Each structure stands twice: as C-alpha cells, then as structure tokens.
Amino acid sequence: MSEKNREGKRTAREKLAVEREKQKSADKRRRALIVGGAVVAVLGLAAVIGVVAANAGKDDDSEASGPVVAPSGAQGKDSLAIPVGKDSAKSTLTVWEDFRCPACKSFETAYRPVIHELTNAGELRAEYHLVTLIDGNMRGTGSRNAANAAACAQDAGKFPAYHDVLFDNQPSEVDDAYADNAKLIELAGKVDGLDTPAFRTCVEKGTHNGWVAKSHQAFNKGGFSGTPTVLFDGNNIYQDRTMTPAKLKQMVQEANKE
C-alpha cells in the first residue's frame, strides 16, 4: 500500500473519530436537557400541588368581605354565638356547624330531639357558631349564604326553626344549591312568619357575610379538626365514640344536680 493511501485512510479514521466525539457531545447535551426539563416539570407540578394543598379548606374571604354585622341577640366573644335556650341553664353545648356539611346533618338527625328537649326545659343552653368549611373544600358560596340567611332568621327571632329546615333540606355536598338566595328564601316559607321583606333584603344583600367570615376565622384559630365540633361545657364530646343522645342527656342532668 502506498504512503498516500495510508495517509488517506488515517485521515478518514481521524475524521470519523471527530464526528463520533461530536455526536457523543450532542447526545450528552440532549440528555441533560431532557433531565433538566423533567426536573423543572416535577418542580412545577410540586408547586401546583403545594398551592392546591395550601388552599384546601380555605374560604375565599374576598367575597365575604364587608362590615361585620352581628345578628340580633348574638353573644359571646365578638358576638359570634347564636344562643338557643335560657341563659340561666347550668350547662352549655357549643356547636360549630356548616350547613353544607353532611356530618353536621347526621349529628342534627341523631341529637336534635334531645337538644330541643333539654333547651326547651331550661336545662341546656346551646350556642351555635356558623362555619364555611365546605365552601373552601368544594368551592362555592352555599355555606356562607346559608349561614347569612340563618343569621337573618336570628334577626327575626326564627333561628332554631330555620336552622332545622336548612339541615332537613340539605343538598348533596357537591351541590352548591344554597349559593342561590332564591332557594334560601323559598325554604324560609317553611317557617311561619319568616318570609318577610326584611328577611329577603337581609338575605339578598348578604348583610351578615362579614360576620360569617369572622365566625369561620374564629373556627380556624380554635384549632378544630372539622365540623361538626361539639363542646359540652368546653369538652369536645363529638370525638367520644361512646357518646349517644341518651348519654348527653344524662351528662346534662348530672351537671344540673351539682
């Protein structure tokens, strides 16, 4: 083989080696871009998940902003409790509820008869605090609008009856039916004397929306785990799995003997 042919083959091998190195470098850069893009995508997804988690269960206070107008007769700290029963009762049941909350309806179904019996007899005083937890979890304004309507009913001296009507007619948790003020006014027709121009105006204007928002803030600050939260003389009895309406009645009666 001539020297010229050897030189030609060597040059071709060198060129091939150079091209291979270029290809390796290109492949390395491409892999780096793919990995980098995947990392960015994962971080982006994590950021989105973080935002969703951070906002879960939070209410949109921007829609609930406005003056804090407590309903007539509201008591307690910042006038956030709607009382039912006689102030002279020795025992107090504090109930935090959301009108869209299925568990709250279950509590009402089971315990309402004995609570009515004890409050009517002057043996128990119930304090209701209204919460908008489901609005934050499921989105919507039904919890807030129903709570405002209940506060409007309190202005008219009809809170206990309207409170019961709202739970008796509670829509499914995913159905934000109580966001419709017309629905809330329609249900007021089930309570004698409640559907008045004053009540309608209060509901439609959201007179107590600011108060409802403040009540929900108090719930968050209280560190409660969910609704309903039921406290008997300060102790959380809803977490007691042995609790029954009969047991609650017994507790009230024993407390009244002291």
Side-chain angles (χ1 to χ4, degrees):
M1 182 182 294
S2 66
E3 187 64 28
K4 186 175 181 179
N5 287 340
R6 286 200 204 84
E7 184 64 28
K9 288 185 177 181
R10 185 166 55 249
T11 301
R13 285 196 300 271
E14 290 173 352
K15 286 182 179 181
L16 182 60
V18 169
E19 288 301 320
R20 285 175 177 170
E21 287 301 318
K22 286 182 179 180
Q23 186 63 40
K24 287 180 180 179
S25 297
D27 290 343
K28 188 179 293 184
R29 285 195 301 272
R30 186 165 57 253
R31 284 196 299 271
L33 288 172
I34 292 171
V35 172
V39 170
V40 170
V42 169
L43 291 176
L45 179 60
V48 170
I49 292 172
V51 170
V52 171
N55 285 292
K58 289 187 178 180
D59 222 359
D60 186 357
D61 290 335
S62 63
E63 291 188 14
S65 61
V68 177
V69 180
S72 176
Q75 298 179 1
K77 184 179 180 182
D78 296 326
S79 298
L80 296 178
I82 294 179
V84 174
K86 297 179 180 179
D87 290 342
S88 59
K90 292 183 179 181
S91 298
T92 300
L93 190 73
T94 303
V95 184
W96 296 81
E97 290 182 318
D98 184 327
F99 287 111
R100 288 181 69 186
C101 163
C104 295
K105 180 176 181 177
S106 296
F107 167 76
E108 286 293 328
T109 300
Y111 285 83
R112 181 192 297 169
V114 73
I115 292 174
H116 282 340
E117 177 187 345
L118 294 170
T119 54
N120 291 337
E123 298 181 58
L124 179 69
R125 181 175 182 273
E127 293 184 346
Y128 291 92
H129 296 258
L130 308 182
V131 182
T132 59
L133 193 65
I134 306 300
D135 281 357
N137 289 338
M138 305 298 294
R139 311 312 300 167
T141 59
S143 298
R144 183 199 67 184
N145 289 13
N148 171 69
C152 296
Q154 170 66 12
D155 288 337
K158 305 285 186 179
F159 173 81
Y162 189 61
H163 162 275
D164 292 353
V165 165
L166 287 176
F167 277 116
D168 288 344
N169 293 273
Q170 184 188 76
S172 66
E173 188 177 13
V174 297
D175 180 4
D176 195 21
Y178 283 170
D180 183 2
N181 287 329
K183 177 66 175 177
L184 298 170
I185 291 172
E186 175 191 334
L187 290 175
K190 295 179 178 290
V191 179
D192 290 342
L194 179 56
D195 187 6
T196 64
F199 174 80
R200 289 183 174 226
T201 299
C202 182
V203 171
E204 290 168 350
K205 288 189 173 181
T207 299
H208 300 296
N209 281 354
W211 176 82
V212 173
K214 192 164 186 176
S215 178
H216 184 76
Q217 290 167 6
F219 173 79
N220 285 335
K221 290 177 182 177
F224 303 122
S225 59
T227 53
T229 291
V230 186
L231 311 176
F232 178 69
D233 288 341
N235 298 313
N236 194 334
I237 64 169
Y238 195 71
Q239 293 180 341
D240 181 357
R241 295 188 178 184
T242 67
M243 185 58 58
T244 63
K247 184 176 180 179
L248 173 60
K249 183 177 180 178
Q250 182 181 3
M251 290 170 64
V252 171
Q253 291 174 337
E254 288 178 355
N256 288 338
K257 292 178 183 178
E258 295 177 359

